């Protein structure tokens, strides 16, 4: 990074308005991740609660926090490596919107194996178990919200895929914009077409299936006989909230990324130069530009919200892990 580059950036910041500076910062996924973590720490500070010391220190709640941390780390590592460490401007990074959902699905698959009762199991009433479904212990507001986010993400991917065009060999990853009433060649710009949409739809669907299996397993599995029924219900509900929260967060992050990429293609300005030296400027607008612009405004909020949910799960798991330590120290005192 040269001194001239830093000087140019500094001059642009001095000439930009406060609104342009704020929007410029929010256009970076790294900045949104930092804001999401800060928001989570603020919420955790305001809503500080206590964790029951009588529960096992290393259970599925701690695993959920580890999964959330892994999803956030994998996503931000891909953003940094792809956008800053390596020059991939000429590469169709088809995996960019599939990284977070696949990482979340793999983590939840590990959680499925961790959902095993240790020690003697309580006798389970077969009739009671048969009545339980994947939604029995799921959060009342979180489950419909997750279904909505998944549905919107798939619809957006399909719509953008149908809008995209294939520029050269390969699956469509661009958008061709015609310049009306001129003989100027069409403008080709990067767009979240099928090259990005197909991996996104597959990864989001795999994550949704894993969430369903985790919720189902959490509802029907037997608990150790040493765990009371009240604690059992509370833990099932808490684990279900964590599973759904991971699904919402991972899907929100990638939906924000898709909307951000589409917004960058809304307005394209080209300048033509004639033989006599004169020039003409043309503003080429994307179809349904207003809707795409609105989605671009929501994109940073989705990323900030998704990262904040992951960070809150991490904070909760740390508190669960530290609760037995505090209880032991207090009993010795």
């Amino acid at each position: 990074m040269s001194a001239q580059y830093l000087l140019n950036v500094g001059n642009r910041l001095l000439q930009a308005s406060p609104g342009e500076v704020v929007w410029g910062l929010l256009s970076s996924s790294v900045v949104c991740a930092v804001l999401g973590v800060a928001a989570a720490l603020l919420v955790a500070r305001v809503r500080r609660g206590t964790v029951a010391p009588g529960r096992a220190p290393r259970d599925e709640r701690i695993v959920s926090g580890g999964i959330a941390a892994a999803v956030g780390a994998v996503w931000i590592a891909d953003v940094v490596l792809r956008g800053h460490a390596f020059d991939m401007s000429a590469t169709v990074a088809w995996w960019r919107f599939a990284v977070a959902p696949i990482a979340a699905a793999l983590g939840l698959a590990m959680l499925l194996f961790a959902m095993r009762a240790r020690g003697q199991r309580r006798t389970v009433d077969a009739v009671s178990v048969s009545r339980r479904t994947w939604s029995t212990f799921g959060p009342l507001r979180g489950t419909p919200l997750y279904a909505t986010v998944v549905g919107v993400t798939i619809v957006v991917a399909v719509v953008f895929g149908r809008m995209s065009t294939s520029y050269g060999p390969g699956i469509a990853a661009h958008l061709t914009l015609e310049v009306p009433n001129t003989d100027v060649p069409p403008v080709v710009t990067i767009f979240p077409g099928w090259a990005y949409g197909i991996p996104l739809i597959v990864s989001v669907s795999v994550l949704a299936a894993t969430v369903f299996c985790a919720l189902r397993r959490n509802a029907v599995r037997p608990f150790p006989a040493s765990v009371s029924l009240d604690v059992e219900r509370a833990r099932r509900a808490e684990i279900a909230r964590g599973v759904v929260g991971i699904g919402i967060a991972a899907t929100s992050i990638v939906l924000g990324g898709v909307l951000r990429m589409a917004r960058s293609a809304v307005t394209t300005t080209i300048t033509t130069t004639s033989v006599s030296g004169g020039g003409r400027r043309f503003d080429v607008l994307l179809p349904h530009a207003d809707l795409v612009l609105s989605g671009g405004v929501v994109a940073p909020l989705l990323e900030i919200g998704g990262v904040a949910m992951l960070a809150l799960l991490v904070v909760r798991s740390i508190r669960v892990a530290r609760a037995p330590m505090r209880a032991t120290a207090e009993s010795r005192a």
Side-chain angles (χ1 to χ4, degrees):
M1 187 177 295
S2 63
Q4 183 63 36
Y5 174 79
L6 295 176
L7 182 61
N8 293 335
V9 172
N11 291 332
R12 291 180 182 178
L13 289 175
L14 292 175
Q15 297 174 0
S17 64
E20 292 174 341
V21 173
V22 172
W23 181 251
L25 292 174
L26 292 178
S27 64
S28 170
S29 296
V30 177
V31 174
C32 290
V34 173
L35 292 176
V37 173
L41 294 177
L42 180 61
V43 172
R45 180 74 177 179
V46 173
R47 300 175 57 184
R48 176 178 295 179
T50 58
V51 180
R55 300 183 184 180
R58 297 186 179 277
D59 58 3
E60 293 88 354
R61 293 169 295 163
I62 298 179
V63 175
S64 298
I67 296 171
V71 172
V74 169
W75 171 70
I76 200 65
D78 174 71
V79 172
V80 172
L81 293 176
R82 181 173 35 81
H84 301 279
F86 302 102
D87 183 12
M88 303 186 66
S89 58
T91 304
V92 177
W94 55 266
W95 65 84
R96 62 184 297 177
F97 302 127
V99 167
I102 291 299
L106 291 176
L108 292 179
M110 295 176 60
L111 180 62
L112 281 170
F113 289 101
M115 291 183 181
R116 298 191 304 268
R118 297 173 177 84
Q120 184 179 1
R121 300 188 180 191
R122 179 186 298 112
T123 303
V124 181
D125 182 7
V127 177
S128 176
V129 173
S130 65
R131 295 176 180 175
R132 299 175 187 171
T133 65
W134 62 273
S135 62
T136 300
F137 297 96
L140 296 178
R141 289 178 294 181
T143 304
L145 177 60
Y146 176 53
T148 301
V149 174
V150 171
V152 171
T153 302
I154 293 177
V155 169
V156 168
V158 172
V159 171
F160 287 167
R162 293 178 62 86
M163 291 173 59
S164 63
T165 53
S166 180
Y167 182 66
I171 305 177
H174 299 80
L175 185 68
T176 302
L177 301 175
E178 301 288 342
V179 183
N181 303 322
T182 65
D183 56 354
V184 178
V187 178
V188 179
T189 182
I190 299 295
F191 194 74
W194 290 120
Y196 301 97
I198 293 176
L200 171 62
I201 294 173
V202 171
S203 61
V204 169
S205 300
V206 170
L207 175 57
T210 310
V211 168
F212 172 83
C213 293
L215 292 176
R216 173 64 180 170
R217 173 64 178 163
N218 179 56
V220 302
R221 65 181 175 135
F223 262 61
S226 59
V227 178
S228 66
L229 290 176
D230 291 338
V231 173
E232 175 185 333
R233 295 190 190 96
R235 288 183 62 179
R236 289 186 195 271
E238 190 173 4
I239 294 168
R241 285 195 299 269
V243 170
V244 174
I246 291 173
I248 294 175
T251 310
S252 298
I253 287 173
V254 296
L255 177 58
V258 171
L259 295 176
R260 185 194 298 279
M261 176 185 276
R263 188 192 185 283
S264 64
V266 168
T267 305
T268 302
T269 302
I270 61 174
T271 303
T272 60
T273 304
S274 62
V275 179
S276 60
R280 297 179 62 188
R281 297 184 59 186
F282 299 93
D283 289 332
V284 185
L285 293 178
L286 185 74
H288 312 293
D290 293 339
L291 294 176
V292 178
L293 280 173
S294 301
V297 173
V298 177
L301 301 179
L302 289 171
E303 289 184 342
I304 293 173
V307 173
M309 293 184 69
L310 295 176
L312 284 173
L313 289 173
V314 174
V315 171
R316 188 190 68 175
S317 68
I318 294 175
R319 288 180 175 177
V320 170
R322 294 179 60 185
M325 303 178 186
R326 292 196 300 268
T328 303
E330 291 174 0
S331 61
R332 291 177 178 177

